[in-house]
Amino acid sequence: MNSFVVSLNNKKFNVEIDGKGNAILGGTAFPYQMKIISGNLVLLKFNNKIYKIPYLNKNGNFKFLIDGFPVNTQVRTKLQEELQKLIKEKASKKKGDEIIAPMPGLLLKVLKNSGDEVKKGEAVVILEAMKMENEIRSPIDGTVKKVFKSEGASIEKGEKILIIQ
Amino acid sequence: MNSFVVSLNNKKFNVEIDGKGNAILGGTAFPYQMKIISGNLVLLKFNNKIYKIPYLNKNGNFKFLIDGFPVNTQVRTKLQEELQKLIKEKASKKKGDEIIAPMPGLLLKVLKNSGDEVKKGEAVVILEAMKMENEIRSPIDGTVKKVFKSEGASIEKGEKILIIQ
Amino acid sequence: MFKKILIANRGEIAVRIIAACKELGIKSAAVYSEIDFNSMHAALSDEAYFIGPPAASQSYLNIDKIISLAKKIGADAIHPGYGFLSENPVFISEVEKSGITFIGPSAKSVEMMGNKTAARTLMNKHNVPIVPGTTQTIKTIDEVKEEAGKIGYPVMLKAAAGGGGKGMRLVNNPDDLQSAFDRAKNEALKAFGNPDIYLEKFIENPKHIEVQIIGDKFGNYAHIFERECSIQRRHQKVVEESPSVFVDENLRKEITQAAVKAAKACGYYNAGTVEFLMDKNKNFYFLEMNTRLQVEHPVTELVSGIDLVKEQIKIAAGEKLSFSNKDLTLNGHAIECRIYAEDIHNNFAPSTGKIEYHSVPSGPGIRIDRGIETNSVVPVYYDPLLAKVITWGKTRYEAINRMKRALAQYQILGVTTNTELFTYILNSNDFLNGTFDINFLENVLLSEINGLSSTEISKQTEEAAVILSALLKQVEMEKLKTGVGYNGKNKWVEQKYE
Amino acid sequence: MFKKILIANRGEIAVRIIAACKELGIKSAAVYSEIDFNSMHAALSDEAYFIGPPAASQSYLNIDKIISLAKKIGADAIHPGYGFLSENPVFISEVEKSGITFIGPSAKSVEMMGNKTAARTLMNKHNVPIVPGTTQTIKTIDEVKEEAGKIGYPVMLKAAAGGGGKGMRLVNNPDDLQSAFDRAKNEALKAFGNPDIYLEKFIENPKHIEVQIIGDKFGNYAHIFERECSIQRRHQKVVEESPSVFVDENLRKEITQAAVKAAKACGYYNAGTVEFLMDKNKNFYFLEMNTRLQVEHPVTELVSGIDLVKEQIKIAAGEKLSFSNKDLTLNGHAIECRIYAEDIHNNFAPSTGKIEYHSVPSGPGIRIDRGIETNSVVPVYYDPLLAKVITWGKTRYEAINRMKRALAQYQILGVTTNTELFTYILNSNDFLNGTFDINFLENVLLSEINGLSSTEISKQTEEAAVILSALLKQVEMEKLKTGVGYNGKNKWVEQKYE
């Protein structure tokens, strides 16, 4: 019997796989059948329905397409989940938030500079990608500590743009 | 410079890859660009055309789809080609031809039994597959030496059905 | 309207029926055999139920299993598709006895059209032209001689219970009659357990023209124009189109009216097809009636705008026909090519296996009805029809050009398909001129193609294949040497483009 | 007819134009930037030429490179698609100077429609209704005050060189006029290098209705009905349909005639679109003319049977228009949904990456125009339009139901798409009743959706996703332990189905 914790849309679910073709969820045993068709396609039979689901898996972070819609989940074993809680407690003591480029693009405007105060939800930079101007907003109330990039710079996805404290 | 012999529709072609982006075929150097997209999809730019070609490779036996049509080739290095010639010479001294099931199916009829004479192209058995009766024909003139399967048998693809000598 | 429809079929037609259910807001329940766990129809339906081992007799043809499943899951109707149980009067009766609606005609209509001589008698009585000959079985050689003399040679001897060319003999003169009669009876007995034979005049090089009809349970009928289905091999249709270039407005009026008469004669409701042979003088003769949805129904849908499967379902649910003939106009031209898993260079041997790569054509005027996708398995147990490519054009010429484009872009790797055959058909003068008949494909075109041991390809394609073979071989060798896979930073793989 | 057409574009529209070339038997030559070596348009065309680095300014917008390439390869015509160089009069002039035919209107027609005030003046002169206001730029605040007083508040200040909402201000009363005028001028100067402003009456909650027109080089014109394009976000169309439920037969006659007048006024040939705003009393006003093929042209093709791209090519080659309005009937209803690579739950941020899995819907009434397939790369450099799903139905209701089915079956994995947005639109009462206007999506629907942090899914879907996550995680752990890959005989992988 293996136990997992699955997060989906900010909800957490405990799932147990009993090794006899059942998944136990919320106290109910669901019989299932699964067949992995290729590296990113899987069949799941469940509740008298066969789901053919394209998926991506990045370290237990799953992206599924179900009936045309994206469903994202995160899975941990029970053990990993306990570990994660400890890490989070530590992290919450640290201050400050980094603004990371959510997509590659051109840094069109830096709206807030070092020392500026920002409110949560306020735009801090504008990133141009795919012919569109995209406002990147602050996740917290705070003060801009450092700006790493200047206007006109080409930015890769995931690059740090600035830090707010 | 690597040299290959490619068979296509009973024709043989000598190809050399010069390591500088050229393939030399029939004395002409053709510049090419190639990019393998996935395990069975490749891009080839050649003669101002980009071919996006699905393919299967089984030990140097290639199945391509080009503009919707199947093209099958066999490739050997120069060395393998020489070796193959030797093997063939030996094999040609051996007699007899096996009839191998070209598809899985039900052995509906055995038309020729042990000891029967057959002409090249004459039907020897009928195999039922996909609601169709399929005649399997003799590749040579000869006499049936042995029949391995009896009528009504289920046959896997590649199984020996009989031998003609 | 129904709440849940069980679809007693598989492959492209099950997928097609699921589409109709979704558009009508009805739950669809698929059945699947063991080998069809990974199949389009099972995954697309709202519910999917295991029905048995791969052999059709133990799964898709298992009447008891299907009906008891339908009852268990609360399905209020069963759609049979085509083939399998679709024209089985026993199945139809059992379904209706169980209180479930059969989406199709009554068992009685199916039976009336099932026996060839009975159907000929019925048509004759209702003034639907039949091929000259007997409407009764003939027992003695003297009777045969007398009737053949009346009709005039050549004549055809045919099995009353027949189909598929079995128990059929062409006789050119009286001297051959005795032996042909004996052999036909013998064959009919073996094939159908019934030696009854009847006699028809032989129609030379006819066209196969059929009419789509539809009727509801209130006695309303409509036709939805004709289809030209003469491109056949071994009585199996390969290319179909609507309308027929051979049929003008007057002839259309005549033949479609005859078809509606045929449908009325057997008290038909549901979509159905009345098949005719048409000789070179445009005389047409009733051949048989298919009391079900046809494979080639999409060409009719494209030129009429009618969704035949949704109409079938509505009619079965007791709705009135949603249109009459005065509402219909024939809009443009549609062609269908049937993609079979078969090797045209190897006596059309069926091909099975896994679809390793599948990419469908897109864009204007193309419809694909299919039961396959990448990673699908084509099993040995069922019909080799993989997909249908259907194109629409304002003119026949446009539909043909779109078909050529579509076929060249349809990539199926893993099983051998007959796609290549269509380019020969679509480029032949007889096809382009509309002068083909039911013997064209087998007698004319295939004998030309048999001269080709394999696909004819251009010099540039040949060169591309040859060079690519060498390059891929080189990558393979490199990989063996270095252990770097396709996704590694191998210089052949990651080579820069320009 | 042309022998070779160079297609100066990429993505789905390049693929669409290649289809037209193939159907006409014309060689197509694609151009591709470095990042587009692996792209559908480059692989589908007969010839493909490298044109430069990914940035459009150095590739698809590089006039000199494109024209010199066309000359070098012997192309006798250039099709610009939409966007990029399609409405650039300098490019058009250069193409024609080089002796190559531009598949589109004359540079002069494009220029006449390019300046807003000039176009308003022209339309006014030719009795095409324009939004009440000035047809000249206004220089002083006194002038603005006087004109606004005449028209009546609220009024719009607009940039003469404008587009895309820049240099535009809504003014509700005279007190706000001064500051709005200053800011609008300032913005216009910054955005277009031209501070000229004109004044229009503000049309409250209008619909965006446009008319497809087409003209040849002999002065023949036809309209091909209207399109309803009011479902917009930031002036970008998201859903389009033809016909509009808001337009009856009389209104259709009026608005299409106005559109033909507009086309004649600028001596237009080629396919083009005249856009109108329509208020709730069904008054319509000229908005602008798009002097090119539109993204949404397929809905018009589906209800008319006309292949607009083939018509464009024939007209450019000097052929006469192949039809006139008396030949056309409006057949059924068509809807288009634009699949963009963007995240509707994250302020519509664009999404880039590799398409890991791509499976298109098939079956009746579905057309897909697309520039992507499995393994395609969606780069950051270009428009985020991936594909268009277009459905046809005999009725609008049928077209909508087919669209819902199509969208649920369209699987794109690897980049985030806006597919989900359409189910909200297609299920909203305003959309179903046809009572939506150009503010519906942004002001009504999106504010509702913003309440959803992520896709709303059913309990069963949630359970399936949760269980599957655990199962796949378990397979992963098993694999790590045993070293057996997906294709190995691992018990989780090869588990027997039933």
Side-chain angles (χ1 to χ4, degrees):
Chain A
M1 181 89 74
N2 287 320
S3 295
F4 301 92
V5 179
V6 182
S7 311
L8 188 160
N9 286 355
N10 300 321
K11 284 187 271 182
K12 295 219 169 187
F13 301 84
N14 290 299
V15 191
E16 283 166 4
I17 310 294
D18 71 357
K20 295 167 200 150
N22 296 296
I24 296 143
L25 174 63
T28 311
F30 291 94
Y32 69 85
Q33 291 159 328
M34 185 184 69
K35 187 179 167 74
I36 294 177
I37 301 293
S38 73
N40 53 21
L41 190 64
V42 62
L43 287 181
L44 176 73
K45 185 170 182 187
F46 160 70
N47 271 351
N48 292 323
K49 181 167 164 66
I50 294 178
Y51 293 87
K52 185 174 276 181
I53 301 181
Y55 74 98
L56 293 174
N57 175 7
K58 211 172 166 181
N59 303 325
N61 289 285
F62 288 91
K63 279 176 189 288
F64 298 116
L65 275 183
I66 306 183
D67 294 337
F69 296 117
V71 181
N72 299 331
T73 67
Q74 193 180 43
V75 201
R76 300 199 181 101
T77 59
K78 265 264 152 78
L79 192 73
Q80 288 171 329
E81 178 71 11
E82 300 299 328
L83 217 65
Q84 194 60 28
K85 273 185 197 157
L86 289 175
I87 294 168
K88 253 201 178 161
E89 277 165 26
K90 274 196 183 167
S92 68
K93 285 169 196 154
K94 211 186 68 180
K95 274 270 169 144
D97 261 274
E98 293 174 349
I99 301 288
I100 302 290
M103 67 201 90
L106 182 76
L107 188 58
L108 209 65
K109 275 236 157 67
V110 175
L111 302 168
K112 297 288 173 182
N113 289 300
S114 195
D116 288 357
E117 282 191 12
V118 290
K119 291 230 170 311
K120 183 176 169 180
E122 205 179 353
V124 288
V125 298
I126 297 178
L127 203 59
E128 186 182 285
M130 292 174 126
K131 294 173 46 187
M132 299 273 290
E133 297 179 11
N134 304 282
E135 291 182 346
I136 314 293
R137 292 157 191 283
S138 172
I140 52 165
D141 289 348
T143 307
V144 176
K145 194 186 158 200
K146 188 161 184 191
V147 182
F148 300 99
K149 302 281 173 181
S150 49
E151 288 186 3
S154 267
I155 311 231
E156 293 298 309
K157 186 177 170 173
E159 272 197 283
K160 231 182 285 180
I161 302 175
L162 51 77
I163 289 187
I164 299 165
Q165 258 185 357
Chain B
M1 180 90 74
N2 287 320
S3 296
F4 301 92
V5 179
V6 181
S7 310
L8 188 160
N9 287 355
N10 300 319
K11 284 187 270 184
K12 295 218 169 187
F13 302 84
N14 290 299
V15 190
E16 283 167 4
I17 310 295
D18 73 356
K20 294 169 202 150
N22 296 296
I24 295 141
L25 173 63
T28 311
F30 292 94
Y32 69 85
Q33 291 159 328
M34 186 184 68
K35 187 179 167 73
I36 294 177
I37 301 294
S38 72
N40 52 21
L41 190 64
V42 61
L43 287 181
L44 176 72
K45 184 170 183 188
F46 159 71
N47 271 350
N48 292 324
K49 181 168 163 64
I50 294 178
Y51 293 88
K52 185 173 275 183
I53 302 182
Y55 74 99
L56 293 175
N57 175 8
K58 211 174 168 180
N59 304 324
N61 289 284
F62 287 93
K63 281 176 188 289
F64 297 118
L65 276 183
I66 306 183
D67 292 337
F69 297 117
V71 181
N72 299 331
T73 67
Q74 191 178 44
V75 202
R76 300 197 181 99
T77 60
K78 263 269 153 76
L79 192 72
Q80 289 171 327
E81 178 71 10
E82 300 298 329
L83 216 65
Q84 193 61 27
K85 274 186 194 155
L86 289 174
I87 294 169
K88 254 203 177 157
E89 276 165 26
K90 273 196 184 168
S92 68
K93 285 169 196 156
K94 209 186 70 178
K95 274 272 166 134
D97 260 275
E98 293 174 351
I99 302 289
I100 302 290
M103 67 202 89
L106 181 76
L107 187 58
L108 209 65
K109 276 234 158 68
V110 174
L111 302 168
K112 298 289 172 180
N113 288 301
S114 193
D116 287 358
E117 283 192 9
V118 290
K119 293 231 172 304
K120 184 176 168 178
E122 205 179 351
V124 288
V125 297
I126 297 178
L127 202 60
E128 187 183 286
M130 290 172 127
K131 293 172 50 188
M132 299 273 291
E133 298 178 11
N134 304 283
E135 291 180 348
I136 314 293
R137 293 157 190 282
S138 172
I140 53 164
D141 288 347
T143 307
V144 176
K145 195 187 156 200
K146 188 160 183 192
V147 182
F148 299 99
K149 301 281 174 181
S150 49
E151 289 186 1
S154 267
I155 310 229
E156 293 297 308
K157 186 175 171 175
E159 272 196 284
K160 232 183 283 179
I161 302 175
L162 52 76
I163 288 187
I164 299 165
Q165 258 186 358
Chain C
M1 184 43 74
F2 305 120
K3 291 197 167 47
K4 189 188 290 184
I5 294 175
L6 183 144
I7 298 161
N9 217 306
R10 66 180 298 284
E12 70 87 16
I13 194 62
V15 172
R16 169 70 187 90
I17 297 162
I18 292 166
C21 291
K22 285 193 195 288
E23 290 175 21
L24 288 170
I26 300 169
K27 275 215 153 74
S28 56
V31 292
Y32 64 93
S33 75
E34 200 175 302
I35 198 118
D36 279 341
F37 181 62
N38 174 23
S39 63
M40 273 186 87
H41 78 285
L44 282 172
S45 57
D46 295 313
E47 301 173 10
Y49 298 93
F50 178 67
I51 191 85
S57 58
Q58 295 178 70
S59 51
Y60 300 107
L61 286 172
N62 190 321
I63 293 180
D64 290 346
K65 265 193 202 168
I66 289 170
I67 295 178
S68 66
L69 175 67
K71 283 197 278 194
K72 195 180 113 193
I73 65 171
D76 40 10
I78 293 181
H79 197 306
Y82 54 69
F84 290 135
L85 296 167
S86 61
E87 291 181 288
N88 183 328
V90 175
F91 177 65
I92 300 173
S93 303
E94 291 294 321
V95 170
E96 310 227 302
K97 258 188 260 168
S98 73
I100 295 167
T101 305
F102 179 74
I103 300 174
S106 67
K108 198 177 156 221
S109 298
V110 174
E111 271 173 343
M112 284 171 86
M113 285 300 186
N115 180 289
K116 293 236 167 185
T117 46
R120 277 169 64 80
T121 307
L122 184 71
M123 292 301 101
N124 202 28
K125 200 175 123 194
H126 286 82
N127 298 315
V128 178
I130 57 173
V131 179
T134 66
T135 53
Q136 304 294 326
T137 58
I138 35 180
K139 305 290 182 192
T140 68
I141 184 69
D142 290 342
E143 260 185 277
V144 176
K145 269 195 181 139
E146 191 192 322
E147 293 289 342
K150 274 197 237 165
I151 299 166
Y153 291 86
V155 296
M156 288 291 283
L157 296 172
K158 285 186 171 181
K166 276 170 185 160
M168 207 185 270
R169 280 288 179 286
L170 171 62
V171 186
N172 283 306
N173 61 65
D175 297 345
D176 300 340
L177 212 49
Q178 177 78 57
S179 81
F181 184 56
D182 294 344
R183 279 180 299 151
K185 274 209 296 194
N186 208 15
E187 228 175 80
L189 182 63
K190 269 198 213 158
F192 312 111
N194 176 347
D196 288 351
I197 294 293
Y198 69 99
L199 193 69
E200 271 185 13
K201 185 162 177 57
F202 175 66
I203 310 291
E204 264 176 287
N205 296 333
K207 276 177 163 285
H208 175 121
I209 308 280
E210 60 185 35
V211 176
Q212 177 70 53
I213 62 91
I214 192 160
D216 64 21
K217 293 178 176 174
F218 306 92
N220 300 306
Y221 290 91
H223 72 81
I224 316 180
F225 315 116
E226 81 281 3
R227 289 186 291 256
E228 155 70 82
C229 309
S230 304
I231 303 287
Q232 302 185 351
R233 185 184 156 269
R234 295 193 182 178
H235 303 281
Q236 191 182 50
K237 296 164 189 165
V238 175
V239 177
E240 302 100 338
E241 53 184 312
S242 181
S244 166
V245 280
F246 199 61
V247 174
D248 61 23
E249 205 41 63
N250 279 333
L251 184 56
R252 179 165 301 125
K253 206 168 275 174
E254 282 176 43
I255 198 168
T256 54
Q257 280 172 3
V260 170
K261 271 192 260 173
K264 280 185 183 166
C266 67
Y268 196 82
Y269 50 78
N270 181 44
T273 296
V274 185
E275 297 188 331
F276 297 95
L277 290 181
M278 190 179 282
D279 70 18
K280 60 177 188 286
N281 300 316
K282 309 207 177 186
N283 301 306
F284 58 86
Y285 308 100
F286 173 82
L287 183 63
E288 63 177 9
M289 179 162 179
N290 291 316
T291 52
R292 54 165 166 85
L293 188 68
Q294 300 270 91
V295 176
E296 60 269 28
H297 75 276
V299 295
T300 297
E301 293 186 324
L302 285 179
V303 296
S304 68
I306 300 294
D307 185 316
L308 282 165
V309 183
K310 287 197 285 194
E311 286 295 330
Q312 280 190 303
I313 295 172
K314 288 183 194 170
I315 287 167
E319 290 188 18
K320 283 195 176 155
L321 202 53
S322 73
F323 62 94
S324 72
N325 268 111
K326 66 173 182 359
D327 307 321
L328 289 188
T329 41
L330 183 52
N331 178 31
H333 199 100
I335 300 183
E336 172 178 282
C337 288
R338 298 189 187 189
I339 310 294
Y340 287 114
E342 59 187 21
D343 184 354
I344 72 162
H345 296 297
N346 182 18
N347 201 28
F348 289 83
S351 173
T352 60
K354 186 179 157 205
I355 308 279
E356 300 284 350
Y357 186 86
H358 182 259
S359 177
V360 295
S362 295
I366 294 178
R367 167 175 167 183
I368 309 285
D369 278 23
R370 61 188 166 99
I372 54 161
E373 55 192 340
T374 302
N375 297 310
S376 285
V377 170
V378 180
V380 71
Y381 304 97
Y382 316 112
D383 191 279
L385 182 64
L386 302 178
K388 303 180 305 201
V389 179
I390 312 112
T391 57
W392 180 91
K394 213 169 168 65
T395 61
R396 184 171 187 259
Y397 179 74
E398 187 173 56
I400 291 172
N401 284 331
R402 284 184 170 159
M403 183 60 81
K404 289 183 190 170
R405 167 169 73 78
L407 293 171
Q409 286 172 24
Y410 197 170
Q411 296 182 307
I412 302 174
L413 186 73
V415 298
T416 304
T417 71
N418 66 338
T419 308
E420 189 187 340
L421 178 62
F422 302 113
T423 64
Y424 301 117
I425 295 170
L426 297 176
N427 287 309
S428 69
N429 283 330
D430 277 326
F431 183 79
L432 293 172
N433 299 333
T435 50
F436 55 93
D437 58 54
I438 61 168
N439 299 309
F440 168 68
L441 179 57
E442 282 199 72
N443 296 358
V444 182
L445 199 67
L446 286 185
S447 60
E448 286 173 27
I449 295 170
N450 280 343
L452 306 173
S453 64
S454 59
T455 317
E456 271 204 331
I457 54 176
S458 71
K459 185 151 185 295
Q460 168 151 343
T461 299
E462 188 177 86
E463 286 169 352
V466 166
I467 289 173
L468 185 58
S469 301
L471 291 170
L472 288 171
K473 178 78 179 177
Q474 173 149 317
V475 170
E476 195 184 53
M477 286 162 58
E478 200 90 0
K479 205 175 53 171
L480 284 174
K481 231 177 354 191
T482 63
V484 175
Y486 285 131
N487 297 316
K489 291 286 171 194
N490 178 302
K491 68 172 166 164
W492 301 102
V493 177
E494 287 293 318
Q495 178 176 306
K496 194 146 168 57
Y497 28 89
E498 304 261 12
Chain D
M1 185 44 74
F2 305 121
K3 290 196 168 49
K4 190 187 288 184
I5 295 175
L6 183 145
I7 299 160
N9 215 305
R10 66 180 299 282
E12 70 87 18
I13 194 62
V15 171
R16 170 68 188 91
I17 297 162
I18 292 166
C21 291
K22 285 193 195 289
E23 290 175 21
L24 289 170
I26 300 169
K27 274 215 155 72
S28 56
V31 292
Y32 63 94
S33 75
E34 200 176 303
I35 198 117
D36 278 342
F37 180 62
N38 175 24
S39 63
M40 272 186 88
H41 79 285
L44 281 173
S45 58
D46 296 313
E47 300 173 11
Y49 298 93
F50 178 67
I51 191 83
S57 58
Q58 295 179 70
S59 51
Y60 300 106
L61 287 172
N62 190 322
I63 293 181
D64 290 345
K65 265 194 202 167
I66 288 169
I67 294 179
S68 67
L69 175 68
K71 283 197 277 195
K72 195 180 114 193
I73 65 171
D76 40 11
I78 293 179
H79 197 306
Y82 54 69
F84 289 135
L85 296 168
S86 60
E87 292 182 288
N88 182 328
V90 175
F91 177 63
I92 301 173
S93 303
E94 291 294 322
V95 170
E96 310 226 303
K97 257 189 262 169
S98 73
I100 294 167
T101 306
F102 180 75
I103 300 175
S106 66
K108 199 179 155 221
S109 298
V110 174
E111 271 174 342
M112 285 170 85
M113 286 300 185
N115 181 291
K116 294 236 167 184
T117 47
R120 278 169 64 80
T121 307
L122 184 70
M123 292 301 100
N124 202 27
K125 200 175 122 193
H126 286 82
N127 298 316
V128 178
I130 58 174
V131 180
T134 66
T135 52
Q136 305 293 326
T137 58
I138 35 181
K139 305 290 180 192
T140 68
I141 186 69
D142 291 341
E143 261 184 278
V144 176
K145 271 195 181 139
E146 190 190 324
E147 293 289 342
K150 273 196 239 165
I151 298 165
Y153 291 86
V155 295
M156 289 291 283
L157 296 171
K158 285 188 172 182
K166 278 173 183 157
M168 206 184 272
R169 280 290 179 284
L170 171 62
V171 186
N172 283 306
N173 61 64
D175 296 346
D176 300 340
L177 214 49
Q178 176 78 56
S179 82
F181 184 56
D182 293 344
R183 278 181 298 150
K185 274 208 297 191
N186 207 16
E187 228 174 80
L189 181 64
K190 269 199 212 156
F192 314 111
N194 176 347
D196 287 351
I197 295 291
Y198 69 99
L199 193 67
E200 271 184 12
K201 183 160 179 57
F202 175 65
I203 310 291
E204 262 176 288
N205 296 333
K207 278 177 161 284
H208 175 121
I209 308 279
E210 60 185 35
V211 176
Q212 177 69 52
I213 63 91
I214 192 160
D216 64 20
K217 292 179 177 175
F218 305 92
N220 301 306
Y221 290 91
H223 72 81
I224 318 180
F225 314 116
E226 81 282 2
R227 287 186 292 257
E228 155 70 83
C229 309
S230 304
I231 304 287
Q232 303 184 351
R233 185 184 156 270
R234 295 193 182 179
H235 302 282
Q236 190 182 49
K237 296 163 189 166
V238 176
V239 176
E240 302 100 337
E241 53 184 313
S242 181
S244 166
V245 281
F246 200 61
V247 174
D248 61 23
E249 205 41 65
N250 280 333
L251 184 54
R252 179 166 302 124
K253 206 169 273 173
E254 282 176 44
I255 197 169
T256 54
Q257 280 172 3
V260 170
K261 269 192 262 174
K264 280 184 183 166
C266 67
Y268 197 81
Y269 49 79
N270 180 46
T273 296
V274 185
E275 297 187 332
F276 296 95
L277 289 181
M278 190 177 284
D279 69 19
K280 59 176 188 287
N281 300 314
K282 309 207 178 188
N283 300 305
F284 59 85
Y285 308 99
F286 173 83
L287 183 63
E288 63 178 8
M289 179 164 180
N290 294 133
T291 53
R292 53 165 167 85
L293 187 68
Q294 300 270 93
V295 176
E296 60 269 28
H297 74 277
V299 295
T300 297
E301 295 187 324
L302 285 179
V303 296
S304 69
I306 300 293
D307 185 317
L308 281 165
V309 183
K310 288 197 285 195
E311 286 294 330
Q312 281 191 301
I313 295 172
K314 288 183 193 169
I315 287 166
E319 291 189 20
K320 283 194 176 154
L321 202 54
S322 74
F323 62 93
S324 72
N325 267 110
K326 67 174 179 1
D327 308 320
L328 288 188
T329 42
L330 182 53
N331 178 30
H333 199 99
I335 300 182
E336 172 178 283
C337 289
R338 298 189 187 188
I339 310 292
Y340 287 114
E342 58 187 22
D343 184 353
I344 70 162
H345 296 296
N346 183 18
N347 201 26
F348 290 83
S351 173
T352 61
K354 186 178 157 206
I355 309 280
E356 300 284 349
Y357 185 87
H358 181 259
S359 177
V360 294
S362 295
I366 295 178
R367 167 175 168 183
I368 310 285
D369 278 23
R370 61 187 166 100
I372 54 160
E373 55 193 338
T374 303
N375 296 311
S376 286
V377 169
V378 180
V380 71
Y381 304 97
Y382 316 113
D383 190 280
L385 182 64
L386 303 178
K388 303 180 305 201
V389 179
I390 312 112
T391 58
W392 181 90
K394 213 170 167 65
T395 61
R396 183 171 187 258
Y397 180 72
E398 187 173 55
I400 291 172
N401 284 331
R402 283 185 170 157
M403 182 61 81
K404 288 183 191 172
R405 168 169 71 79
L407 293 171
Q409 287 172 23
Y410 197 170
Q411 296 182 308
I412 303 173
L413 185 73
V415 298
T416 304
T417 71
N418 65 338
T419 307
E420 189 187 341
L421 178 63
F422 302 113
T423 62
Y424 301 116
I425 295 171
L426 297 176
N427 288 309
S428 68
N429 283 331
D430 277 326
F431 183 77
L432 293 172
N433 299 333
T435 50
F436 54 94
D437 59 53
I438 61 167
N439 299 308
F440 167 67
L441 179 58
E442 282 198 71
N443 295 359
V444 182
L445 200 66
L446 286 184
S447 61
E448 285 173 26
I449 296 170
N450 279 343
L452 306 172
S453 63
S454 59
T455 317
E456 272 205 329
I457 54 177
S458 70
K459 184 151 184 294
Q460 169 151 342
T461 299
E462 188 177 86
E463 287 169 352
V466 166
I467 289 174
L468 186 58
S469 301
L471 291 170
L472 289 171
K473 178 78 178 177
Q474 172 147 317
V475 169
E476 195 184 53
M477 286 162 57
E478 200 88 2
K479 207 175 52 171
L480 284 175
K481 230 179 351 195
T482 64
V484 174
Y486 285 131
N487 297 315
K489 291 287 171 193
N490 181 301
K491 67 172 167 165
W492 301 101
V493 177
E494 287 295 317
Q495 178 178 307
K496 195 145 170 53
Y497 28 89
E498 302 262 12

